[in-house]
Amino acid sequence: MAFPTHRPRRLRTTPALRRLVAETDLRPRHLVLPMFVKEGASEPVPIASMPGVVQHTRDSLRKAAAEAVAAGVGGLMLFGVPERRDATGSAGVDPDGVLNVALRDVRAEVGDATVLMADTCLDEFTDHGHCGVLDAEGRVDNDATLAVYAEMAVAQAEAGAHLLGPSGMMDGQVGVIREALDAAGHVDAGILAYSVKYSSAFYGPFREAVESQLRGDRKTYQQDGPNVREALRELALDLEEGADLVMVKPALAYLDVLRAVAETADVPVAAYQVSGEYAMVEAAAANGWLDRDRTVLETLTSIRRAGADIVLTYWATEVAARLSTE
């Protein structure tokens, strides 16, 4: 028999064949849309470093949420941008604070048609921009922060969140939140733990999106980029404390970590395609250097292929609508 005997190209000859043998799929249900709502805004405010993404008003948030649900997205993750900040991030626990009001708005708009998630963290609400309260030396006080997270999680659950997303990387945050939710009667509210969150340069545009007041960095509580075993330790602790889902953030620069987490976790695994990843593709496409639509799908598929059951992405509605027509 003439060489070559084996011809893998046979399974690539038509779109139908390629679709038939595809090992990884990307469907609308896999996608979660992060959304920002700005207190006091009278119209949506464009985010310069994230073309196509805005800080919503209450009204535009409800409309965009309904559009995302109509497109079939799996969930919505809400972030608040308050008018006033203080040292303890009190607006984050205030039932009438921007994020809790937005959660009630969206839950009233879409009900249980999608999964409503809340960012359970203080960085948007503190006047120093850190993810927790500070001690007398200006360091993030882990245990004092946990007490605020517990209060914040209960307020978010009462506002309508199906899932709470503790993203501050405080030791013990999942266990404290689980205990607080249960004590308040929110036994069905789940926890999407940011189990593996690295200190990353890819968060830059997000700082603009939430009007971050951060001074310094978050390297004493977010993970160090070179470490993988540390990520698996964080994962094990969060699972032990009762995490219902776990997350790796960022996604593209940490696909190896995502794979390791997916191979270990016995709960669904999410990955966050963060603002810098989004901005890079949009900038390159705007300059004509990349085919935007193909690149978007390729990056999302790579995250799914690495093991993510759920992908948080700012392209969620757009991609979900496109996939729904295929």
Side-chain angles (χ1 to χ4, degrees), residues 43-103:
E43 59 184 24
V45 180
I47 301 168
S49 57
M50 300 175 68
V53 180
V54 301
Q55 296 172 323
H56 283 287
T57 68
R58 290 178 62 183
D59 287 342
S60 71
L61 180 74
R62 287 192 292 265
K63 180 180 179 182
E67 290 173 352
V69 171
V73 300
L76 308 171
M77 172 65 82
L78 268 55
F79 298 86
V81 184
E83 287 185 307
R84 291 175 295 279
R85 298 172 171 85
D86 58 30
T88 61
S90 60
V93 301
D94 183 354
D96 295 321
V98 59
L99 181 52
N100 291 322
V101 168
L103 287 167

